[in-house]
């Protein structure tokens, strides 16, 4: 049943005078406001409350009437008392915040309170109280602040600094940017024009980018507060801030990247110099020595000691040539991103057979066996694979017992070809497998005919072809395994 606008207290006067026929309309109006409304007498006891207020209190309407507010709302009475005093003094209280518990069921509420003194014939008759539940809005604002803080944290992590500007004038900035520019606080940046931190030679380009609204990254040289210059990368976007269009700029310190680029340039320069020295300055005199020793050997007529001396010179020249080739390959693999290869169609068994025959001539007392299986055709660099096979076979021969055979096996499959070289007397400790193919590895003396780069270069040859080189050891010997895609 609709509540009457006024509920006279037993034995008390009416709170106000209004035509009785107007009461339903006024009641509907007061109940339709969406606010909790109470009419209080001069002792601040409710004489009328609407349904919204009863819902906020969690009590029946009649449970409010005639009771002191300290009994009705004991948990907010203390906070509400100063506001009621102001209303009793004739002041209109508008939108005063109030936080507290009106009922155990509702929990803590964030309220907006309004109070207006009610007069009749110039005499204070009571107070009109209204309450609006602002809890959801307060919670939403808290969530928005939390999300804003989260987004700022993400921005702080995603870049080295960020700021907002309007036509170049800084409106807001984060602390990381202030520190990057040599300032203690973002407040020191706000209100200043961004060109104050841009190197003079970059200012025209920066102002052009700002004027055109460039939204692609660009680089700029920044001048810190202490005069130090640092390279930055800038990415700007249009955003809405406080109702107007401004620019958000994200900043990255690219000092490390620039330093790396400079180191790469120096490394490239060094590589070119080293390749030039090794490839020309050393190889040219070596070729002269080889031509000279070859001419002496062809002339003949030398006595035995002289022949041995020229032979030693020729052998030393060949070792030096091999070391130069290894050093060139090592330099290419480490500084040029890998060994160059020139694949061509060939049969791998024929290539390995030639290597095997050369090693038989050099080691006439060793037993070298070869087995083949499947299709051994493919596209590989003949010179590089000859180098790989010869290096592996030479290493096995050097470190294995002379009385044990060496078995080379070629197996062709759908995806590629496998070359394995096995000797039962050679043992490589498992703990050495991970470093066996490293250059200049400690604990493995360099070969008498090289720099200890042979296995490293052999693996690089396999990698350059898209393949791999591994070693397997057991009590029954050691096997090098090369897999090459066709």
């Amino acid at each position: 049943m609709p509540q009457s606008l006024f509920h006279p207290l037993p034995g008390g006067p009416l709170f106000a005078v209004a035509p009785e026929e107007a009461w339903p309309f006024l009641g509907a109006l007061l109940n339709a406001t969406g606010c909790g409304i109470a009419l209080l007498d001069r002792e601040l006891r409710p004489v009328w409350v609407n349904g919204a207020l009863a819902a906020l209190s969690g009590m029946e309407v009649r449970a409010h009437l005639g009771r002191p507010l300290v009994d009705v709302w004991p948990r907010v009475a203390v906070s509400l008392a100063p506001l009621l005093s102001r209303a009793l003094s004739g002041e209109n209280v508008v939108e005063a915040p109030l936080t507290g518990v009106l009922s155990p069921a509702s929990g803590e509420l964030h309220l907006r309170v309004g109070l207006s003194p009610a007069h009749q014939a110039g005499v204070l008759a009571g107070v009109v109280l209204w309450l609006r539940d602002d809890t959801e809005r307060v919670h939403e604002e808290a969530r928005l602040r939390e999300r804003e803080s989260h987004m700022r944290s993400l921005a702080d992590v995603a870049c080295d600094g960020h700021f907002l500007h309007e036509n170049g004038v800084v409106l807001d900035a984060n602390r990381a940017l202030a520190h990057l520019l040599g300032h203690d606080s973002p407040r020191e940046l706000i209100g200043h024009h961004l060109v104050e931190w841009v190197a003079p030679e970059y200012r025209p380009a920066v102002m052009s980018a700002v004027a055109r609204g460039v939204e692609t990254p660009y680089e700029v040289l920044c001048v810190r507060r202490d005069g130090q210059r640092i390279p930055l990368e800038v990415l700007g976007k249009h955003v809405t801030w406080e109702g107007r269009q401004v620019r958000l700029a994200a900043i990255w310190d690219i000092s490390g990247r620039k330093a790396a680029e400079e180191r790469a340039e120096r490394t490239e320069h060094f590589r070119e110099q080293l390749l030039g020295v090794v490839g020309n300055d050393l190889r040219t005199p070596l070729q002269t020595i080889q031509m000279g020793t070859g001419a002496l050997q062809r002339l003949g007529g030398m006595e035995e000691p002289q022949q041995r001396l020229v032979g030693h010179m020729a052998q030393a020249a060949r070792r030096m040539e091999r070391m130069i080739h290894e050093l060139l390959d090592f330099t290419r693999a480490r500084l040029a991103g890998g060994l160059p290869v020139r694949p061509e169609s060939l049969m791998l068994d024929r290539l390995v057979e030639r290597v095997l025959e050369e090693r038989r001539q050099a080691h006439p007392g060793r037993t070298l066996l070869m087995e083949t299986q499947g299709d051994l055709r493919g596209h590989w660099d003949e010179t590089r694979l000859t180098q790989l096979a010869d290096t592996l076979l030479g290493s096995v021969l050097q470190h294995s017992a002379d009385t044990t055979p060496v078995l080379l096996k070629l197996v062709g499959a759908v995806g590629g070809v496998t070359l394995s070289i096995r000797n039962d007397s050679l043992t490589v400790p498992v703990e050495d497998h991970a470093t066996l193919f490293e250059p200049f590895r400690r604990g493995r003396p360099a070969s008498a005919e090289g720099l200890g780069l042979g296995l490293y270069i052999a693996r690089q040859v396999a990698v350059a072809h898209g393949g791999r080189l591994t070693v397997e050891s057991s009590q029954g010997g050691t096997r090098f395994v090369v897999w090459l895609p066709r």
Side-chain angles (χ1 to χ4, degrees):
M1 180 176 180
Q3 179 192 350
S4 174
L5 177 59
F6 303 113
H7 283 269
L9 294 176
L14 287 175
F15 184 81
V17 177
E20 187 172 352
E21 61 270 16
W23 290 3
F25 300 99
L26 292 175
L29 176 64
L30 294 176
N31 276 298
T33 60
C35 296
I37 298 176
L39 307 181
L40 310 178
D41 62 16
R42 281 174 293 190
E43 283 73 36
L44 302 179
R45 295 174 301 180
V47 297
W48 181 87
V49 298
N50 69 350
L53 186 67
L56 285 174
S57 299
M59 296 186 295
E60 293 291 335
V61 169
R62 292 190 177 275
H64 296 75
L65 303 181
R67 298 173 58 193
L69 286 183
V70 69
D71 294 337
V72 178
W73 301 320
R75 300 188 187 184
V76 297
V78 174
S79 302
L80 192 57
L83 303 177
L84 291 168
S85 298
R86 289 165 55 187
L88 288 174
S89 67
E91 179 184 350
N92 280 308
V93 178
V94 181
E95 295 280 343
L98 178 68
T99 300
V101 177
L102 296 184
S103 72
S106 64
E108 185 177 74
L109 298 176
H110 297 274
L111 304 168
R112 286 286 173 175
V113 180
L115 294 163
S116 298
H119 295 87
Q120 185 176 16
V123 178
L124 180 68
V127 174
V128 177
L129 165 71
W130 62 264
L131 297 175
R132 186 178 73 240
D133 186 3
D134 229 17
T135 304
E136 183 59 34
R137 186 185 64 82
V138 171
H139 288 171
E140 182 61 29
E141 288 180 352
R143 288 190 291 268
L144 287 173
R145 287 192 297 270
E146 184 179 352
R147 284 196 291 267
E148 181 182 4
S149 176
H150 180 61
M151 294 304 296
R152 286 182 178 271
S153 299
L154 286 177
D156 289 341
V157 172
C159 60
D160 297 321
H162 56 84
F163 68 99
L164 293 167
H165 71 89
E166 187 173 31
N167 298 323
V169 178
V170 178
L171 303 174
D172 189 24
N174 71 334
R175 186 174 297 275
L177 178 65
H179 292 169
L180 181 63
L181 298 178
H183 293 269
D184 297 326
S185 170
R187 290 191 299 271
E188 298 177 16
L189 310 181
I190 295 173
H192 293 265
H193 202 284
L194 61 85
V195 295
E196 296 181 24
W197 298 280
V198 177
E201 62 270 26
Y202 279 83
R203 289 176 182 174
V206 170
M207 291 310 301
S208 174
V210 170
R212 292 183 291 114
V214 173
E215 295 195 353
T216 54
Y218 60 91
E219 295 180 5
V220 61
L221 195 61
C222 165
V223 181
R224 286 168 45 92
R225 187 179 188 180
D226 57 8
Q228 178 188 358
R229 292 186 165 209
I230 55 174
L232 302 177
E233 185 174 78
V234 182
L235 177 62
K237 297 287 184 181
H238 285 290
V239 297
T240 301
W241 184 75
E242 295 186 353
R244 64 183 191 269
Q245 284 288 309
V246 299
R247 292 278 290 178
L248 170 65
I251 304 296
W252 288 269
D253 182 359
I254 56 174
S255 301
R257 189 177 78 191
K258 288 297 184 182
E261 291 174 355
E262 291 177 2
R263 287 194 298 270
E265 291 178 2
R266 290 195 297 269
T267 300
E268 178 66 19
H269 181 64
F270 169 74
R271 181 185 72 86
E272 292 176 355
Q273 288 183 321
L274 180 61
L275 290 177
V277 169
V278 175
N280 297 314
D281 297 353
L282 292 182
R283 209 153 34 171
T284 299
L286 177 62
Q287 289 175 347
T288 302
I289 294 174
Q290 289 176 319
M291 291 174 62
T293 55
L296 289 174
Q297 288 175 327
R298 287 192 298 272
L299 284 175
M302 293 183 292
E303 297 181 359
E304 183 65 23
Q306 295 171 331
Q307 290 179 355
R308 285 200 303 270
L309 178 60
V310 172
H312 290 324
M313 292 175 59
Q315 187 176 7
R318 286 194 296 272
R319 288 201 302 270
M320 183 177 292
E321 183 180 27
R322 185 177 295 109
M323 286 187 286
I324 289 174
H325 284 302
E326 287 182 351
L327 190 56
L328 282 171
D329 286 341
F330 172 75
T331 305
R332 292 190 186 101
R334 279 296 176 94
L335 300 180
L339 297 177
V341 293
R342 297 178 178 83
E344 58 181 317
S345 180
L346 57 90
M347 295 287 294
L348 192 57
D349 54 340
R350 296 176 185 175
L351 182 149
V352 173
E353 182 63 43
R354 289 196 297 269
V355 172
L356 203 60
E357 185 60 33
E358 291 176 2
R359 285 294 179 174
R360 286 194 181 105
Q361 294 177 6
H363 300 80
R366 298 298 299 267
T367 301
L368 304 180
L369 306 174
M370 179 174 169
E371 296 180 2
T372 62
Q373 178 182 334
D375 184 3
L376 303 177
R377 293 173 296 178
H379 287 78
W380 304 292
D381 187 316
E382 182 176 2
T383 301
R384 288 297 185 187
L385 287 195
T386 299
Q387 180 184 14
L388 182 152
D390 186 66
T391 297
L392 294 179
L393 184 55
S395 180
V396 171
L397 289 171
Q398 180 182 355
H399 296 96
S400 62
D402 292 342
T403 57
T404 57
V406 178
L407 173 63
L408 284 80
K409 187 174 182 179
L410 287 167
V411 177
V414 175
V417 177
T418 300
L419 164 66
S420 62
I421 303 177
R422 180 182 178 85
N423 179 267
D424 293 339
S425 69
L426 178 61
T427 302
V428 179
V430 175
E431 59 269 20
D432 289 345
H433 286 192
T435 57
L436 185 64
F437 300 100
E438 291 296 318
F440 313 117
R441 184 178 67 91
R442 291 181 179 179
R444 188 185 77 230
S447 168
E449 296 187 356
L451 298 172
L453 294 171
L455 292 180
Y456 168 78
I457 295 171
R459 169 171 276 185
Q460 294 304 310
V461 170
V463 170
H465 284 85
R468 58 181 177 269
L469 167 59
T470 58
V471 62
E472 301 172 358
S473 289
S474 64
Q475 294 181 350
T478 295
R479 183 175 72 145
F480 287 100
V481 181
V482 182
W483 179 82
L484 298 168
R486 296 183 188 276

